[in-house]
Amino acid sequence: MTTLSRRTLLGLGAATAAAITIPGCSGKSGPMRVSWYGPDPVTKALNKALDAWKSSGGAEYTAESAPFNDYWDKLATRTSGGNAPDVLRMSMSYFSDYAGRSALKDLSSSGIDTSGLDKGVADSGLIDGKNYGVGQSSISYAMYVDEAAVKKAGATVPAQGWTWDKFAEFARDYSGAIQGSYGSTDQAGNFQLFEVYARQHGTELFSDDGGKLATSKDTVQEWFQYWAELRKAKAAPAQNVSAETTAIEKSLVAKGKAPLQFGWVQQVTFYQPVVKNPLSVLPVPQGTAGDLKGQFVKGLDLWSISSASKHPEDAAKLIGFLLNDEKAIKAIGILLGVPPSKKARDLVAADAGSAGARAIKYVEDIQALVGPSPKPWPKGYGELLTGFGRIAENIGFGKSDPAKGAQEFVDLAGKTLGQ
Amino acid sequence: MIARLRQSIPAYLFLLPWLIGIIGLTIGPMLLSLYYSFTDYALLNTPEWQGLHNYTALFHDSRYLQSLKVTFIYVGVSVPLEMAFALAVAVLLNRGLKGLAVYRALYYVPSLLGGSVAIALLWQQIFGSDGLLNDVLGLFGIHGRGWISEPGTALWTLIVLRVWQFGAPMVIFLAGLRQIPDEVLEAAEVDGAGRWQRFWRVTLPLLSPVVFFNLVLQIIGAFQAFTPAFVISGGKGGPSDSTLFYTLYLYQQAFGNFKMGYAAAMAWVLLLIVAVFTGLNFVLGRAWVFYGDEGVRR
């Protein structure tokens, strides 16, 4: 046997040390990490659901949460550093950015039980036949109406839906009847409501491959024009008023200065606590009254697993648990959206008088009437979302006009999509 | 030779933590960012070389030009105002005031807090349409406005916020004023110089190195301003891009739009701009900065 010199021994030691530390660099497999975005109620609910996971013998985990905007900054840096959380809440706004750059794991054979989920929701994470995320909720766009305020003004809001023209008429009359109030909030910069409007004009917002804007420049211009006229008639607030109403508690509906608010259906539960009267949940205005084909029901928030996850089995089990376990379903309620399965909806809807129950009923009522759900939003959607709002704001402040703004948006889309 | 090396080993050992820091945390990332600035790098993919494209694209980007404009206005207005304020208060405090330490601390506090999120939120409360400022204006029968929600005034609230943080340069001015020998000022007084003359002809020239030091630091700091605009505009640089600071736009491109290469190019251009301004300061400074020993040479 050869004797080892001091030098070889040292070298060997160094090599072993390197061998041990290098895998450690790429994220030592501690407990599985779970992360999500959302306001405080969402965090409380998910923590409760995770407690249920632990007490039913689930694997160890650590949890982290952040507000929507901060979440994406953090996730982007962590993912690029090879340090993404194992289970993560993924929004459709960024889904294609992550899935398209292979940051998410294909869940097709992960064994997550999605049999109870609504069809449009179970498939929401499908890109090119691979499933990068499971829908955690069924959501649709909606209008929340303070009907008591509307009644006081001597008006009504039709439950079956109304046209954009009728809506404008209502907004004008309401603003005229109640001093210091606006019949509508300004939705010019609301890209998600615009998607419904675009579909009412006969096209999807994006082409099927996500590489192009499918709606026309004219439709964009018409939209900006519509809201510009409402602002001019003082039926919608001036831009500087809207600029201060971004937080829920500062919204016009919370301050009693507007009788209605637009948003994703589950957000009614965020608004209800700050509004005195019960809010009813109704469809958004239409091209033809009662024709809800512009709207859709879809899973817009997904549970995904990072492609670099060291705990893919546990992660899949946890997602299955959050979707199907009774205790988890009850803990989450409708804070992530209307639950994506009939079983979950029945469990949650018990409290019939609540805003949550009205949201669930809304989704069930319109499900058969809405149009097909659009493909996942394309790469670059996040940039278009903020860009659309910014362009609308420039028009509102008189720095641009609907025609120029529409052109600007079409240019932005051309630059951003399909990259 | 060997002996000398052996002698300096302890020195290098003591330097090591700093060396690791500067190479690992500063020089390394800087070189990497220089490389990224020539690539298309979306954070999640591998960077793709594309030469100068990011740099040329900057000057076709109207929002980039807007961010330059906002930043230049901010630097150009807030720095002189802040300096003037700091100097004025320092001169006042220099007059052997009772309880000087307390005043010094009081005026310095905003500098400690100014960069914080809490103060930015407070600013939002003060300058909102139902905020404190409008309440005060209301007492005089003046109908206020939403100062931070209108593009015409939003940037000015941020300038006021910076000027309010005059404490740091003020403390440095105060130290500089303390260095000016009383004899010189007394001699000027004996020669018949009035209060203003003494300030302009004696105090200010003797203080000029301190003014210069503050100016250079404040300009560099102002170019890098980020937190207040980020918090007050909710990260958007609004309303209508009126508070789109350079660093804020850089951040949006990097982490909002996944354009890390583009953001890296922006960072290097900013470095260049700051370097040019600092260089210019040093060149112009020769004309007005007066170091005591130069008098001897002349």
Side-chain angles (χ1 to χ4, degrees):
Chain A
M1 215 181 181
T2 49
T3 46
L4 292 168
S5 75
R6 202 170 64 158
R7 188 165 294 171
T8 34
L9 198 66
L10 268 176
L12 204 69
T16 334
I20 293 166
T21 41
I22 285 169
C25 282
S26 56
K28 209 161 177 211
S29 33
M32 152 174 76
R33 284 155 55 215
V34 188
S35 81
W36 63 85
Y37 53 82
D40 199 41
V42 168
T43 294
K44 279 195 186 127
L46 279 171
N47 276 328
K48 214 168 136 195
L50 285 168
D51 284 344
W53 158 260
K54 193 158 64 182
S55 59
S56 62
E60 280 295 310
Y61 66 89
T62 56
E64 46 203 74
S65 69
F68 189 84
N69 288 328
D70 302 344
Y71 180 85
W72 300 106
D73 302 344
K74 215 163 141 185
L75 187 62
T77 25
R78 288 191 160 186
T79 307
S80 65
N83 194 25
D86 299 281
V87 176
L88 48 105
R89 187 175 186 199
M90 177 50 64
S91 157
M92 199 56 91
S93 302
Y94 291 92
F95 177 63
S96 293
D97 281 303
Y98 281 84
R101 296 185 172 108
S102 39
L104 305 179
K105 197 172 142 44
D106 180 8
L107 304 180
S108 310
S109 53
S110 64
I112 299 173
D113 176 15
T114 59
S115 56
L117 301 195
D118 301 339
K119 174 90 177 61
V121 180
D123 297 348
S124 288
L126 231 45
I127 293 184
D128 298 334
K130 288 188 177 162
N131 188 11
Y132 295 106
V134 180
Q136 50 189 223
S137 55
S138 299
I139 68 179
S140 186
Y141 224 71
M143 187 170 75
Y144 331 131
V145 183
D146 181 346
E147 293 210 56
V150 173
K151 206 176 259 171
K152 220 168 130 196
T156 48
V157 174
Q160 320 304 327
W162 52 7
T163 62
W164 287 102
D165 288 341
K166 276 269 184 279
F167 175 77
E169 204 175 291
F170 165 84
R172 278 194 199 97
D173 292 348
Y174 188 93
S175 314
I178 302 196
Q179 277 300 311
S181 284
Y182 305 97
S184 172
T185 47
D186 184 0
Q187 299 297 320
N190 186 339
F191 194 44
Q192 285 154 345
L193 185 55
F194 174 72
E195 177 162 22
V196 174
Y197 187 80
R199 283 161 55 102
Q200 289 167 352
H201 283 65
T203 58
E204 289 291 336
L205 192 49
F206 303 106
S207 62
D208 271 359
D209 62 357
K212 272 205 312 272
L213 198 66
T215 197
S216 74
K217 185 189 142 226
D218 289 348
T219 309
V220 183
Q221 183 174 340
E222 202 180 290
W223 172 259
F224 286 146
Q225 189 68 45
Y226 178 85
W227 291 102
E229 276 162 22
L230 281 188
R231 278 193 301 270
K232 209 170 132 204
K234 300 215 162 30
Q239 192 65 48
N240 56 350
V241 176
S242 300
E244 290 205 339
T245 56
T246 41
I248 287 170
E249 62 276 13
K250 288 190 167 184
S251 62
L252 292 172
V253 72
K255 288 179 168 177
K257 286 185 171 174
L260 45 84
Q261 169 72 38
F262 293 86
W264 295 109
V265 57
Q266 80 278 13
Q267 288 169 346
V268 70
T269 57
F270 305 158
Y271 281 95
Q272 186 64 79
V274 293
V275 179
K276 209 167 52 200
N277 305 316
L279 293 169
S280 46
V281 186
L282 298 173
V284 304
Q286 303 103 37
T288 313
D291 175 11
L292 299 188
K293 290 281 187 293
Q295 290 196 231
F296 53 85
V297 174
K298 192 172 168 62
L300 284 175
D301 300 273
L302 315 156
W303 287 120
S304 294
I305 299 179
S306 137
S307 56
S309 172
K310 298 263 188 309
H311 306 274
E313 290 88 20
D314 287 338
K317 268 186 216 149
L318 174 60
I319 292 176
F321 181 86
L322 291 174
L323 290 173
N324 299 313
D325 181 82
E326 208 163 292
K327 282 191 294 270
I329 288 169
K330 279 189 171 156
I332 294 170
I334 81 150
L335 286 162
L336 301 181
V338 169
S341 67
K342 183 84 183 78
K343 167 190 162 191
R345 283 194 290 271
D346 290 344
L347 276 170
V348 172
D351 185 5
S354 68
R358 289 194 291 275
I360 292 175
K361 184 162 183 308
Y362 170 73
V363 170
E364 286 183 337
D365 285 352
I366 66 168
Q367 208 146 34
L369 307 172
V370 296
S373 20
K375 289 260 171 7
W377 288 332
K379 261 189 211 172
Y381 182 85
E383 193 172 351
L384 292 184
L385 180 74
T386 51
F388 194 81
R390 187 179 62 245
I391 291 166
E393 199 180 45
N394 285 338
I395 298 171
F397 279 122
K399 294 190 162 184
S400 180
D401 60 47
K404 261 200 290 192
Q407 186 60 50
E408 201 185 326
F409 180 72
V410 170
D411 292 345
L412 179 68
K415 238 174 36 187
T416 309
L417 292 172
Q419 273 187 0
Chain B
M1 172 76 194
I2 302 263
R4 258 179 62 193
L5 200 70
R6 209 161 254 203
Q7 245 181 355
S8 46
I9 282 178
Y12 282 112
L13 274 180
F14 278 114
L15 258 179
L16 199 62
W18 179 83
L19 267 179
I20 292 174
I22 188 114
I23 293 171
L25 299 174
T26 308
I27 297 178
M30 274 179 81
L31 290 177
L32 204 60
S33 117
L34 184 62
Y35 165 68
Y36 286 151
S37 76
F38 296 107
T39 62
D40 174 19
Y41 177 37
L43 268 181
L44 306 174
N45 62 346
T46 41
E48 271 169 52
W49 187 264
Q50 50 172 204
L52 284 173
H53 177 265
N54 285 327
Y55 289 93
T56 51
L58 280 178
F59 297 94
H60 301 288
D61 178 352
S62 61
R63 293 192 76 210
Y64 173 74
L65 300 176
Q66 167 72 10
S67 79
L68 269 183
K69 188 177 130 194
V70 167
T71 308
F72 276 117
I73 294 177
Y74 179 74
V75 174
V77 178
S78 73
V79 171
L81 276 179
E82 186 191 13
M83 295 273 291
F85 232 77
L87 185 56
V89 175
V91 168
L92 285 177
L93 286 186
N94 194 30
R95 293 203 187 139
L97 213 59
K98 233 187 211 171
L100 175 66
V102 175
Y103 283 107
R104 217 164 30 196
L106 273 182
Y107 285 120
Y108 188 65
V109 163
S111 294
L112 294 176
L113 302 173
S116 72
V117 170
I119 292 297
L121 285 172
L122 178 73
W123 228 245
Q124 213 170 20
Q125 295 292 321
I126 292 176
F127 289 99
S129 67
D130 46 7
L132 189 66
L133 178 65
N134 282 347
D135 289 348
V136 173
L137 289 177
L139 294 179
F140 300 100
I142 302 169
H143 196 67
R145 55 200 288 183
W147 302 94
I148 51 171
S149 60
E150 284 177 41
T153 50
L155 180 58
W156 298 94
T157 65
L158 291 173
I159 289 175
V160 172
L161 176 58
R162 184 170 185 91
V163 175
W164 179 67
Q165 299 165 48
F166 64 87
M170 189 268 293
V171 167
I172 297 172
F173 276 137
L174 204 52
L177 287 170
R178 286 291 157 99
Q179 298 292 317
I180 296 173
D182 284 340
E183 304 92 74
V184 184
L185 288 165
E186 277 163 20
E189 202 175 351
V190 170
D191 286 346
R195 188 173 280 176
W196 276 107
Q197 268 184 320
R198 264 179 288 153
F199 179 74
W200 285 111
R201 302 274 165 97
V202 181
T203 308
L204 211 52
L206 286 175
L207 200 63
S208 61
V210 179
V211 175
F212 178 71
F213 173 79
N214 268 336
L215 187 69
V216 170
L217 279 195
Q218 293 305 320
I219 289 180
I220 294 175
F223 268 115
Q224 297 172 337
F226 176 79
T227 318
F230 181 81
V231 175
I232 288 176
S233 72
K236 285 191 190 141
S240 205
D241 281 351
S242 61
T243 61
L244 187 70
F245 283 19
Y246 197 101
T247 48
L248 188 55
Y249 187 50
L250 189 158
Y251 175 83
Q252 284 182 0
Q253 290 296 334
F255 297 106
N257 300 338
F258 302 103
K259 290 180 180 161
M260 198 43 97
Y262 194 71
M266 281 187 70
W268 281 90
V269 174
L270 179 64
L271 181 77
L272 200 70
I273 292 174
V274 173
V276 166
F277 267 79
T278 309
L280 215 61
N281 259 328
F282 272 91
V283 172
L284 294 177
R286 279 188 205 146
W288 61 270
V289 179
F290 169 75
Y291 295 99
D293 55 345
E294 281 169 12
V296 182
R297 260 181 270 142
R298 270 180 203 149

